[in-house]
Amino acid sequence: MKVFYQGDIIKISGFGNLFLIISKNVFIRERKMFHVSPIVNTDIINPMNIDIKGVDGTEGTVICEEIKLIDPVARACTKVDRINYWGIINISDAIQGMFEYD
């Protein structure tokens, strides 16, 4: 299995858009799977749509409320880029906020 990390921007075979890996690294190592959110090009303003820019220049908007569990072996995933640590914190905070108590 290829090694993937939280914050990697990946291409999943059969899908037109890119995805951001949002799972923690320990989850990825233990389960050999990871959660992703799609990266799209949109101007829709929503607190759960977060703009990102990869270290190699990939740009887009992460749709944080759309979370999918992916088996990278079954889906033929390839790494395209990655976001920096502060981007990971921003995305993680948004996703965690969906599951906090009212």
Side-chain angles (χ1 to χ4, degrees):
M1 180 177 124
K2 297 175 192 169
V3 179
F4 294 97
Y5 298 98
Q6 183 182 37
D8 284 350
I9 297 171
I10 63 168
K11 173 75 177 138
I12 301 173
S13 180
F15 290 87
N17 54 300
L18 299 175
F19 292 84
L20 178 71
I21 297 177
I22 57 175
S23 293
K24 294 176 75 168
N25 292 330
V26 68
F27 180 91
I28 298 167
R29 280 192 307 272
E30 294 296 320
R31 299 293 182 189
K32 308 293 189 253
M33 291 189 272
F34 45 75
H35 294 89
V36 297
S37 287
I39 300 170
V40 298
N41 293 317
T42 183
D43 292 331
I44 298 172
I45 298 174
N46 177 327
M48 297 304 292
N49 295 352
I50 299 177
D51 293 335
I52 60 161
K53 183 169 183 177
V55 296
D56 292 330
T58 304
E59 294 185 61
T61 302
V62 177
I63 309 301
C64 295
E65 67 269 23
E66 290 186 31
I67 301 171
K68 299 165 180 37
L69 180 64
I70 298 294
D71 177 347
V73 174
R75 290 292 190 166
C77 300
T78 55
K79 183 177 172 178
V80 175
D81 200 348
R82 63 186 169 84
I83 61 172
N84 65 32
Y85 184 72
W86 299 110
I88 294 168
I89 290 173
N90 195 20
I91 299 287
S92 295
D93 285 350
I95 291 169
Q96 182 177 351
M98 290 190 312
F99 298 102
E100 292 178 347
Y101 294 103
D102 280 335

